[in-house]
Amino acid sequence: MARRRKRKSRRRQEGRRILEHVPQYSIESGQEKPVTAARKFIQAEGISPPALLLVKRNEHTTDRYFWAEKGLFGAQYVEENHFLFPSLRELEHPNEKPQLVTVSV
């Protein structure tokens, strides 16, 4: 039986490409839940948004979180909805310069 290819969402691919430009931090959760470990790390290090945290739960599993102005989000949600985050809009088109509009009176 032939195996079907999984369709890749363009919106999610674009979000993943944008998140590549965000600083990343890799930590281990230890005895705590991954989200708790991420929150404590952010508090201890004074990390300012935007940031991507890779929290190693065990030898096989790594959870990804995005630290934004609005709080801590799952990275997959942010990939799919990157347009909702103002800090990522600047990274969306980094080589575009804001256009100046001149008005003649």
Side-chain angles (χ1 to χ4, degrees):
M1 185 181 244
R3 191 168 179 172
R4 292 182 57 194
R5 281 184 30 197
K6 188 173 183 180
R7 183 176 171 273
K8 293 187 179 180
S9 164
R10 283 192 182 141
R11 191 164 80 175
R12 185 159 176 212
Q13 284 179 327
E14 185 179 350
R16 186 173 283 252
R17 202 171 45 241
I18 292 169
L19 284 181
E20 288 175 358
H21 302 291
V22 173
Q24 291 187 9
Y25 300 90
S26 207
I27 62 172
E28 292 193 17
S29 65
Q31 296 297 320
E32 298 169 336
K33 291 182 180 180
V35 70
T36 305
R39 289 183 187 281
K40 286 185 177 180
F41 181 77
I42 290 166
Q43 184 75 30
E45 300 294 320
I47 297 171
S48 60
L52 193 63
L53 283 93
L54 307 172
V55 184
K56 194 169 175 84
R57 194 186 318 174
N58 57 40
E59 60 185 275
H60 304 292
T61 311
T62 301
D63 293 330
R64 298 168 55 237
Y65 297 101
F66 178 73
W67 176 237
E69 299 84 5
K70 302 174 185 179
L72 194 62
F73 295 87
Q76 184 174 340
Y77 172 80
V78 176
E79 287 172 357
E80 293 169 359
N81 301 291
H82 57 87
F83 49 86
L84 297 175
F85 297 89
S87 59
L88 294 180
R89 282 194 206 127
E90 300 161 3
L91 298 173
E92 194 169 2
H93 305 290
N95 48 0
E96 283 185 11
K97 297 175 185 163
Q99 293 181 346
L100 295 175
V101 179
T102 55
V103 179
S104 301
V105 181

